Amino acid sequence: MAARCLHLAALLSFFSGALPFPLGPEAGKSPTCGYESCHATQPDMLNVHLVPHTHDDVGWLKTVDQYFYGDRNDIQHAGVQYILDSVVDQLLKNPDRRFIYVETAFFYRWWRQQSSSMKQTVKQLVEEGRLEFVNGGWCMSDEATTHYSSVIDQMTLGLRFLNETFGLCGRPRVAWHIDPFGHAREHASMFAQMGYDGFFFGRLDYQDRSQRMATKDQELLWRASESLTPPMADLFTGILPNGYNPPDGFCWDQSCDDPPIRDDPELEDYNVDDVVNRFVAIAKSQSMVYKTNHIIMTMGSDFQYENANLWYKNLDKLIRYVNAEQAGGGKVNVLYSTPSCYLQELHRANSTWALKTDDFFPYADAAHDFWTGYFTSRPALKRYERISNSNLQTCNQLEVLGGPDSRKGPFGEGDSQTLKEAMAVAQHHDAVSGTEKQHVANDYARRLADGWQRCQVLVSNSLAALSGSTAERIYCDNLNISVCPLTEASKKFSVNVYNPLARPVSHPVRLPVNGSSYEVTDANGKPVDCQVLPVSSSTKEVRRSRGSALRELLFQAEAPPSGLHHLLRDPHSIQNKFLRVTFDPDTGLLSGLSNLETKQSVKLSQNFYWYNASDGNDALSIQPSGAYIFRPNSSTPFTISRSAKTESIQGVVVQEVRQVFSPWASQVVRLYAGRRELELEWTLGPVPIGDALGKEVITRFDTGIRTSEYFYTDSNGREMLRRRKDFRPSWTLRQSEPIAGNYYPINSRAFIKDEEDQLTVVTDRSQGGGSIHNGSLEIMLHRRLLYDDVRGVVEPLNETSDIFPEGLVVVLQPLLSFTEGELHPDTRLEFSGLQAALPPAVHLLTLTQWDEDSLLLRLEHQFQKGESKVNSEPVTVNLQKMFSTLKLLGVSEMNLSANQWKDEMKRFDWTPQTGEKPLLKEFPQRSVWEVTLRPMEIRTFLLRVR
């Protein structure tokens, strides 16, 4: 067996030649789109900006395809293709009319089906600012459960299509997240770095909104990074008045039942005076809780405008009749508008704005209705999405390194685009969030699987080109349950370990086998220490009939040599040269953790518990737990078991303690040789519901760390935020849910600390958690519920499958590829795409083919300001010294979403009420190839290569 490591990295300089995207039809003449296309306003009046819009979920109650075509209207009446058909037709009838569109995934589908004449018509509407794109990503991403890497990718995908199709006029000026259930600071930081002038959203905590209404602070300046120097991550943020719905009584969609404007005085029920009076009253009331003489009204909602004539006919009348009152002294001016036109007026007000530096989590819409359950909902899908992102980055990189042969080679035609689009759809706020119907969740997973199948062909072609071997490569996607037919049956095989990071790693490999003794050699023919151990009983139960391996073969690509393993019962400790882990001899539970380097020890116990989910029948409230909402009916969770049955396996590669808490809850505590972290691999499910009780399963770490009610969580996998129990930094909280109201999203890590000790938990998927007790950190792992939470899904979160009809089982998953038998003697066993590893602070975030002659590269500084004495400093990388196989002809820097040249990105400047604006320190650039990264900075480059 040969273990191989492929290492990667990236490169830069100044770009020459043609632009990577067209300037569009505007080139050579004054643009009339964007801010230039806005209707005039009245400075001495209350200006009401009417924004016609539709909110089109990229999957929720129906699949993406069903929503686009208007299929399955028995579930929900919605057909996106008809919305776009109807809106374009109505915009052509009145040049004053406006419409905004958001979800590029749907628009891209619709656009491909249009005739050339229709495309030209739509381009004209865009050029004139009558049809405007806002946000512009492939979807409107979730903000709690998404990883920043995937968010950047899906935004880039959507914005690139708009740029290449419509040029300058296709570039959105405003970020628009009207439906996500809470808002992440990292999202705001990313939007700022993508060049958006402002950001509008619809949902925030009901107490937060109430207090902001009282102080007229529903529009603010969000300083979204503690590391990036302002205004790099500053983003003007506006909170919409009605979520994203029209005011009460003014919904004129076919799905609404509000009366139309009846303006013929000779007919029955003439209502113009009543409509005008009600509208003016609503407008004046709304203006009392906003700061300027401009207010915005969202005229639309979910999948509206399928018959756009209903909306526009009544909006035309509304504008005409309200404005007619001005002749008699009326002071309300109504106009068709867009979010960017409204934003422009706020900017012109030249005001100062409240400054916010935290985030908008958690979100509650009532006292007992905290939307913190979805942080964990559908944990298997959340993990699969995270694995798929890793697969996509590997696919992107190998497409670059393998060149054209990767796309068409010995294994056929492969592509990365299918997985890119599937991953982009999966970022939607009803996808990875876990808040969709079950058949829709299945569809998201199927799309990811189909995309990976296409990428497998590309990866195989690329590895063939790089290694010189066309031997068939096998991908075992069920290694997490010890299933891989090739390794189970073969006596000799090679393992291809691809490392997409820009530095060497020591990767533990676990393979299902049936032999009892193996020899492992590395790419240089040197022996690698290995270990064979029995498959755990819980794994056998999970995989059922899909695999037959009795054992697992373990080795590390860089593990030290020699050693045996033996089986022990009732372990007391496991230890390597960095960590010592102790277990209580009476209970089998974790009891302590020692850092042998720093000689620090902390008392640490860990167990599994479940909260009994409210079923809607208790006396306090009818609100049950569901896909969105977490509402336990008690603050005290039930313990699954106060002790665990244990066995220990100790060897030179790995030491394991296997704990069984119940037939449906088990864990492997794993300590690899030479590693500074302890791995906890849990297996949960099927969660029993025979007692008719919905269960929300957590693991809890209890320590002696003196936390003083503080703990820390990451934001979309990047910067950490400090949290405090029963507290919100920017408003006064009246806590009504002591558990759910203290849960926050955890995308990659959370920690507790005091002046001496820190315990960090790194997660392999997005989950929810909190610190309910001092010195404690709990993370929700799984949910199985019996009631719907009355937020639209109309389906309990009760996941099953064909293999597990009694309930879903959740476990971990690695990724490797295999080749059976002997390798050809000329096979290249080791390859690196980099000349040398990148510095520890620098991460290769993106390396992907942009077009035939250019690549897109993103490098990021992955340390926060003040996080590390060594690594939280600016780092300079020479791009010419990065790649080993690419000839660089030029480089140009772009904004984060790669839809603008960086030096041409201009944003509105906003003034906070408090706080100075520090000047950004510039670093002298000795060469166009040298790039300096500051803490938390991401820089994006387009490379011309040969």
Short mmCIF file of all heavy atoms in Angstrom, two decimals, residues 833-873:
data_model
loop_
_atom_site.label_atom_id
_atom_site.label_comp_id
_atom_site.label_asym_id
_atom_site.label_seq_id
_atom_site.Cartn_x
_atom_site.Cartn_y
_atom_site.Cartn_z
N GLY A 833 1.75 21.10 -5.86
CA GLY A 833 1.49 22.22 -6.75
C GLY A 833 2.16 23.50 -6.31
O GLY A 833 2.09 24.51 -6.99
N LEU A 834 2.82 23.47 -5.14
CA LEU A 834 3.48 24.65 -4.60
C LEU A 834 4.98 24.46 -4.58
O LEU A 834 5.49 23.35 -4.40
CB LEU A 834 3.02 24.90 -3.16
CG LEU A 834 1.54 25.19 -2.94
CD1 LEU A 834 1.28 25.44 -1.47
CD2 LEU A 834 1.09 26.37 -3.76
N GLN A 835 5.67 25.57 -4.69
CA GLN A 835 7.11 25.51 -4.51
C GLN A 835 7.47 25.30 -3.05
O GLN A 835 8.45 24.64 -2.73
CB GLN A 835 7.76 26.81 -5.02
CG GLN A 835 7.63 27.01 -6.53
CD GLN A 835 8.41 28.23 -6.99
OE1 GLN A 835 9.47 28.54 -6.45
NE2 GLN A 835 7.87 28.93 -7.98
N ALA A 836 6.66 25.86 -2.15
CA ALA A 836 6.90 25.71 -0.71
C ALA A 836 5.58 25.97 0.00
O ALA A 836 4.65 26.56 -0.55
CB ALA A 836 7.97 26.69 -0.23
N ALA A 837 5.50 25.49 1.24
CA ALA A 837 4.29 25.71 2.04
C ALA A 837 4.11 27.19 2.31
O ALA A 837 5.08 27.95 2.44
CB ALA A 837 4.39 24.95 3.36
N LEU A 838 2.86 27.63 2.40
CA LEU A 838 2.58 29.01 2.76
C LEU A 838 2.85 29.23 4.25
O LEU A 838 2.86 28.27 5.03
CB LEU A 838 1.12 29.33 2.46
CG LEU A 838 0.73 29.40 0.98
CD1 LEU A 838 -0.76 29.72 0.83
CD2 LEU A 838 1.55 30.44 0.23
N PRO A 839 3.06 30.47 4.68
CA PRO A 839 3.26 30.75 6.10
C PRO A 839 2.06 30.27 6.92
O PRO A 839 0.94 30.18 6.41
CB PRO A 839 3.39 32.28 6.15
CG PRO A 839 3.81 32.67 4.77
CD PRO A 839 3.16 31.68 3.85
N PRO A 840 2.26 29.96 8.22
CA PRO A 840 1.17 29.41 9.05
C PRO A 840 -0.07 30.29 9.11
O PRO A 840 -1.18 29.78 9.27
CB PRO A 840 1.82 29.30 10.44
CG PRO A 840 3.27 29.21 10.18
CD PRO A 840 3.54 30.03 8.95
N ALA A 841 0.08 31.60 8.97
CA ALA A 841 -1.07 32.49 9.07
C ALA A 841 -1.88 32.58 7.78
O ALA A 841 -2.97 33.13 7.77
CB ALA A 841 -0.61 33.89 9.48
N VAL A 842 -1.35 32.03 6.68
CA VAL A 842 -1.98 32.21 5.37
C VAL A 842 -2.67 30.93 4.93
O VAL A 842 -2.10 29.84 4.99
CB VAL A 842 -0.93 32.64 4.32
CG1 VAL A 842 -1.58 32.82 2.95
CG2 VAL A 842 -0.26 33.94 4.75
N HIS A 843 -3.91 31.09 4.48
CA HIS A 843 -4.71 29.96 4.00
C HIS A 843 -5.04 30.16 2.53
O HIS A 843 -5.42 31.27 2.11
CB HIS A 843 -6.00 29.87 4.81
CG HIS A 843 -6.99 28.87 4.29
ND1 HIS A 843 -6.66 27.55 4.04
CD2 HIS A 843 -8.30 28.99 3.97
CE1 HIS A 843 -7.73 26.91 3.59
NE2 HIS A 843 -8.72 27.76 3.54
N LEU A 844 -4.87 29.11 1.75
CA LEU A 844 -5.29 29.11 0.36
C LEU A 844 -6.80 28.85 0.33
O LEU A 844 -7.26 27.72 0.46
CB LEU A 844 -4.55 28.03 -0.42
CG LEU A 844 -5.00 27.80 -1.88
CD1 LEU A 844 -4.82 29.06 -2.70
CD2 LEU A 844 -4.24 26.64 -2.48
N LEU A 845 -7.57 29.91 0.18
CA LEU A 845 -9.02 29.80 0.26
C LEU A 845 -9.63 29.34 -1.05
O LEU A 845 -10.52 28.49 -1.07
CB LEU A 845 -9.61 31.15 0.67
CG LEU A 845 -11.13 31.24 0.78
CD1 LEU A 845 -11.66 30.24 1.82
CD2 LEU A 845 -11.56 32.66 1.15
N THR A 846 -9.16 29.89 -2.17
CA THR A 846 -9.73 29.57 -3.48
C THR A 846 -8.62 29.43 -4.51
O THR A 846 -7.75 30.29 -4.59
CB THR A 846 -10.71 30.67 -3.96
OG1 THR A 846 -11.72 30.88 -2.99
CG2 THR A 846 -11.34 30.30 -5.29
N LEU A 847 -8.66 28.35 -5.26
CA LEU A 847 -7.86 28.21 -6.47
C LEU A 847 -8.74 27.49 -7.47
O LEU A 847 -9.01 26.30 -7.32
CB LEU A 847 -6.58 27.43 -6.21
CG LEU A 847 -5.71 27.20 -7.47
CD1 LEU A 847 -5.21 28.53 -8.02
CD2 LEU A 847 -4.54 26.27 -7.16
N THR A 848 -9.23 28.21 -8.46
CA THR A 848 -10.19 27.62 -9.39
C THR A 848 -9.99 28.21 -10.78
O THR A 848 -9.52 29.34 -10.94
CB THR A 848 -11.63 27.87 -8.90
OG1 THR A 848 -12.55 27.15 -9.71
CG2 THR A 848 -12.00 29.35 -8.93
N GLN A 849 -10.34 27.42 -11.79
CA GLN A 849 -10.25 27.87 -13.17
C GLN A 849 -11.31 28.94 -13.42
O GLN A 849 -12.48 28.75 -13.08
CB GLN A 849 -10.47 26.69 -14.12
CG GLN A 849 -9.98 26.91 -15.52
CD GLN A 849 -8.48 26.77 -15.65
OE1 GLN A 849 -7.87 25.98 -14.93
NE2 GLN A 849 -7.88 27.52 -16.56
N TRP A 850 -10.91 30.09 -13.96
CA TRP A 850 -11.87 31.16 -14.24
C TRP A 850 -12.32 31.10 -15.70
O TRP A 850 -13.49 31.10 -16.00
CB TRP A 850 -11.23 32.51 -13.92
CG TRP A 850 -12.18 33.67 -14.00
CD1 TRP A 850 -12.26 34.58 -15.00
CD2 TRP A 850 -13.17 34.04 -13.03
NE1 TRP A 850 -13.25 35.50 -14.73
CE2 TRP A 850 -13.82 35.19 -13.53
CE3 TRP A 850 -13.58 33.52 -11.81
CZ2 TRP A 850 -14.85 35.83 -12.83
CZ3 TRP A 850 -14.60 34.16 -11.11
CH2 TRP A 850 -15.23 35.29 -11.62
N ASP A 851 -11.36 31.05 -16.60
CA ASP A 851 -11.64 30.79 -18.01
C ASP A 851 -10.43 30.07 -18.57
O ASP A 851 -9.57 29.59 -17.83
CB ASP A 851 -12.00 32.06 -18.78
CG ASP A 851 -10.94 33.14 -18.68
OD1 ASP A 851 -9.75 32.79 -18.56
OD2 ASP A 851 -11.29 34.33 -18.72
N GLU A 852 -10.33 30.00 -19.88
CA GLU A 852 -9.28 29.16 -20.48
C GLU A 852 -7.87 29.59 -20.09
O GLU A 852 -6.98 28.76 -19.90
CB GLU A 852 -9.42 29.19 -22.01
CG GLU A 852 -8.47 28.24 -22.74
CD GLU A 852 -8.71 28.23 -24.24
OE1 GLU A 852 -9.71 28.84 -24.69
OE2 GLU A 852 -7.90 27.61 -24.95
N ASP A 853 -7.67 30.90 -19.92
CA ASP A 853 -6.32 31.41 -19.69
C ASP A 853 -6.13 32.04 -18.32
O ASP A 853 -5.09 32.65 -18.07
CB ASP A 853 -5.96 32.46 -20.76
CG ASP A 853 -6.01 31.87 -22.16
OD1 ASP A 853 -5.49 30.75 -22.34
OD2 ASP A 853 -6.58 32.52 -23.06
N SER A 854 -7.10 31.96 -17.45
CA SER A 854 -6.96 32.65 -16.17
C SER A 854 -7.53 31.82 -15.02
O SER A 854 -8.41 30.96 -15.21
CB SER A 854 -7.64 34.02 -16.22
OG SER A 854 -9.01 33.90 -16.54
N LEU A 855 -7.01 32.10 -13.83
CA LEU A 855 -7.41 31.42 -12.60
C LEU A 855 -7.88 32.46 -11.59
O LEU A 855 -7.43 33.61 -11.61
CB LEU A 855 -6.22 30.66 -11.98
CG LEU A 855 -5.36 29.79 -12.89
CD1 LEU A 855 -4.19 29.25 -12.09
CD2 LEU A 855 -6.20 28.66 -13.47
N LEU A 856 -8.74 32.02 -10.69
CA LEU A 856 -9.15 32.87 -9.57
C LEU A 856 -8.46 32.35 -8.31
O LEU A 856 -8.54 31.16 -8.00
CB LEU A 856 -10.67 32.85 -9.39
CG LEU A 856 -11.21 33.85 -8.37
CD1 LEU A 856 -11.06 35.28 -8.89
CD2 LEU A 856 -12.67 33.56 -8.04
N LEU A 857 -7.79 33.25 -7.61
CA LEU A 857 -7.04 32.90 -6.41
C LEU A 857 -7.49 33.78 -5.25
O LEU A 857 -7.61 35.00 -5.40
CB LEU A 857 -5.54 33.12 -6.66
CG LEU A 857 -4.63 33.07 -5.44
CD1 LEU A 857 -4.48 31.64 -4.94
CD2 LEU A 857 -3.27 33.67 -5.75
N ARG A 858 -7.74 33.15 -4.12
CA ARG A 858 -7.98 33.91 -2.88
C ARG A 858 -7.02 33.43 -1.81
O ARG A 858 -6.91 32.21 -1.57
CB ARG A 858 -9.42 33.75 -2.39
CG ARG A 858 -10.47 34.45 -3.22
CD ARG A 858 -11.84 34.45 -2.54
NE ARG A 858 -12.85 35.06 -3.39
CZ ARG A 858 -13.66 34.36 -4.19
NH1 ARG A 858 -13.56 33.03 -4.24
NH2 ARG A 858 -14.57 34.97 -4.93
N LEU A 859 -6.36 34.36 -1.17
CA LEU A 859 -5.52 34.07 -0.01
C LEU A 859 -6.11 34.79 1.19
O LEU A 859 -6.57 35.93 1.07
CB LEU A 859 -4.09 34.55 -0.25
CG LEU A 859 -3.31 33.89 -1.38
CD1 LEU A 859 -1.96 34.56 -1.54
CD2 LEU A 859 -3.13 32.40 -1.12
N GLU A 860 -6.10 34.14 2.33
CA GLU A 860 -6.63 34.79 3.52
C GLU A 860 -5.67 34.67 4.70
O GLU A 860 -4.95 33.68 4.85
CB GLU A 860 -7.99 34.22 3.92
CG GLU A 860 -7.96 32.82 4.48
CD GLU A 860 -9.27 32.44 5.18
OE1 GLU A 860 -9.79 33.26 5.96
OE2 GLU A 860 -9.75 31.33 4.94
N HIS A 861 -5.68 35.71 5.50
CA HIS A 861 -4.99 35.68 6.79
C HIS A 861 -5.98 35.09 7.77
O HIS A 861 -7.06 35.63 7.98
CB HIS A 861 -4.60 37.10 7.20
CG HIS A 861 -3.58 37.18 8.30
ND1 HIS A 861 -3.76 36.56 9.52
CD2 HIS A 861 -2.36 37.79 8.36
CE1 HIS A 861 -2.71 36.81 10.29
NE2 HIS A 861 -1.84 37.54 9.61
N GLN A 862 -5.64 33.96 8.38
CA GLN A 862 -6.64 33.23 9.17
C GLN A 862 -6.53 33.48 10.67
O GLN A 862 -7.19 32.79 11.47
CB GLN A 862 -6.56 31.73 8.89
CG GLN A 862 -5.20 31.10 9.09
CD GLN A 862 -5.19 29.66 8.62
OE1 GLN A 862 -6.21 29.11 8.21
NE2 GLN A 862 -4.04 29.02 8.71
N PHE A 863 -5.76 34.49 11.07
CA PHE A 863 -5.69 34.84 12.49
C PHE A 863 -6.35 36.19 12.72
O PHE A 863 -6.28 37.09 11.89
CB PHE A 863 -4.23 34.88 12.97
CG PHE A 863 -3.66 33.52 13.22
CD1 PHE A 863 -3.13 32.78 12.18
CD2 PHE A 863 -3.66 32.96 14.49
CE1 PHE A 863 -2.60 31.52 12.38
CE2 PHE A 863 -3.14 31.70 14.72
CZ PHE A 863 -2.61 30.97 13.66
N GLN A 864 -6.98 36.33 13.88
CA GLN A 864 -7.57 37.59 14.28
C GLN A 864 -6.51 38.50 14.89
O GLN A 864 -5.45 38.07 15.33
CB GLN A 864 -8.67 37.36 15.32
CG GLN A 864 -9.90 36.70 14.77
CD GLN A 864 -10.97 36.51 15.83
OE1 GLN A 864 -11.62 35.47 15.87
NE2 GLN A 864 -11.16 37.48 16.69
N LYS A 865 -6.85 39.76 14.93
CA LYS A 865 -6.00 40.74 15.59
C LYS A 865 -5.89 40.37 17.08
O LYS A 865 -6.89 40.18 17.76
CB LYS A 865 -6.64 42.11 15.43
CG LYS A 865 -5.84 43.26 15.98
CD LYS A 865 -6.59 44.55 15.69
CE LYS A 865 -5.87 45.75 16.29
NZ LYS A 865 -6.62 47.00 16.03
N GLY A 866 -4.66 40.21 17.57
CA GLY A 866 -4.43 39.90 18.97
C GLY A 866 -4.63 38.45 19.35
O GLY A 866 -4.48 38.09 20.52
N GLU A 867 -4.95 37.59 18.40
CA GLU A 867 -5.20 36.19 18.72
C GLU A 867 -3.91 35.45 19.04
O GLU A 867 -3.90 34.56 19.90
CB GLU A 867 -5.91 35.52 17.54
CG GLU A 867 -6.23 34.04 17.75
CD GLU A 867 -6.90 33.41 16.54
OE1 GLU A 867 -7.24 34.13 15.59
OE2 GLU A 867 -7.08 32.18 16.55
N SER A 868 -2.84 35.77 18.35
CA SER A 868 -1.58 35.06 18.51
C SER A 868 -0.44 36.08 18.56
O SER A 868 -0.40 37.02 17.77
CB SER A 868 -1.36 34.09 17.35
OG SER A 868 -0.03 33.63 17.31
N LYS A 869 0.50 35.86 19.49
CA LYS A 869 1.65 36.75 19.58
C LYS A 869 2.52 36.65 18.33
O LYS A 869 3.18 37.61 17.94
CB LYS A 869 2.46 36.42 20.83
CG LYS A 869 1.75 36.73 22.14
CD LYS A 869 2.62 36.36 23.33
CE LYS A 869 1.90 36.66 24.64
NZ LYS A 869 2.71 36.28 25.83
N VAL A 870 2.51 35.48 17.71
CA VAL A 870 3.38 35.24 16.56
C VAL A 870 2.66 35.47 15.24
O VAL A 870 3.19 36.10 14.32
CB VAL A 870 3.95 33.80 16.61
CG1 VAL A 870 4.79 33.52 15.37
CG2 VAL A 870 4.75 33.59 17.88
N ASN A 871 1.43 34.97 15.13
CA ASN A 871 0.76 34.91 13.83
C ASN A 871 -0.24 36.02 13.56
O ASN A 871 -0.76 36.12 12.45
CB ASN A 871 0.06 33.57 13.69
CG ASN A 871 1.04 32.42 13.60
OD1 ASN A 871 1.99 32.47 12.82
ND2 ASN A 871 0.83 31.38 14.40
N SER A 872 -0.54 36.87 14.55
CA SER A 872 -1.50 37.95 14.32
C SER A 872 -0.82 39.22 13.84
O SER A 872 -1.10 40.33 14.30
CB SER A 872 -2.29 38.23 15.61
OG SER A 872 -3.12 37.14 15.93
N GLU A 873 0.09 39.06 12.91
CA GLU A 873 0.82 40.17 12.31
C GLU A 873 0.65 40.09 10.79
O GLU A 873 0.37 39.03 10.25
CB GLU A 873 2.31 40.09 12.67
CG GLU A 873 2.60 40.24 14.16
CD GLU A 873 2.28 41.63 14.69
OE1 GLU A 873 2.34 42.59 13.89
OE2 GLU A 873 1.93 41.75 15.88
#
